[in-house]
Amino acid sequence: MALTVRVRPNAASLSFLLLGAALIVIGAMSGGVLGPALVVWGAVFAVLLGYPVAASTLLRVPAVVVGPDGIRLPLMGVRLEWPEIAEVRPGVKMRGRTQTPVLLVVPTDPVATVSQARWWLRWEARNDLASLGAPVVIDDRSLDHTLTEIRSAVSAHAPAR
């Protein structure tokens, strides 16, 4: 049975959604050049940062699916079958001065994997590839399953090599 992982709203995502909504409201009430600029920035915050939460929470689109065929990341737009995955291993991503544990999915063809990613995520995938050696980095800070549970599902479904 496949493991389906969804995004759960956390304080950071809700803060960005509220900031986006506030900028839209303030921009709509303001005049001149500043008003439309605030509306645009508010919409960017709400859409780009709110998209994963809304899609996964309201529309039930999974963030990660680990199954017999491979690993899918529907929100990212990436689908990797087991033969396309070199390894899945734990890693650490620096966020300022804080180390965050992550799960690195290392594809056999990283460039093709980056090109699968949604256009607004390609920059981050390229940066993660350069700094961490993998374009797919799973961070469980806002997921409804832990990295340990995801690794267990990978171990259960990945073919023996």
Side-chain angles (χ1 to χ4, degrees), residues 82-88 105-108 161:
W82 290 118
E84 299 172 306
I85 300 171
E87 70 176 320
V88 177
V105 179
V106 182
T108 57
R161 293 183 189 224

Side-chain angles (χ1 to χ4, degrees), residues 146-159:
T146 65
L147 295 178
T148 303
E149 292 170 327
I150 297 169
R151 280 193 76 198
S152 294
V154 167
S155 295
H157 290 289

Side-chain angles (χ1 to χ4, degrees), residues 7-137:
V7 175
R8 65 173 185 240
N10 62 17
S13 63
L14 292 176
S15 297
F16 281 117
L17 281 172
L18 287 174
L19 176 61
L23 287 174
I24 290 170
V25 169
I26 292 168
M29 297 172 75
S30 299
V33 178
L34 185 60
L38 289 174
V39 169
V40 168
W41 279 107
V44 167
F45 268 90
V47 171
L48 291 183
L49 300 172
Y51 163 75
V53 174
S56 191
T57 306
L58 302 175
L59 303 176
R60 308 298 292 160
V61 175
V64 181
V65 178
V66 180
D69 297 332
I71 299 175
R72 291 186 305 117
L73 299 112
L75 291 176
M76 185 179 183
V78 172
R79 173 187 291 265
L80 296 169
E81 295 184 8
W82 290 118
E84 299 172 306
I85 300 171
E87 70 176 320
V88 177
R89 61 181 164 82
V92 175
K93 187 169 186 172
M94 293 300 296
R95 298 200 187 280
R97 295 182 186 204
T98 306
Q99 292 184 344
T100 303
V102 294
L103 196 59
L104 303 174
V105 179
V106 182
T108 57
D109 187 352
V111 175
T113 302
V114 168
S115 69
Q116 281 185 47
R118 302 209 188 282
W119 65 268
W120 63 86
L121 298 173
R122 287 186 188 145
W123 179 81
E124 184 177 0
R126 281 189 202 100
N127 283 347
D128 288 341
L129 178 59
S131 63
L132 300 170
V136 178
V137 179

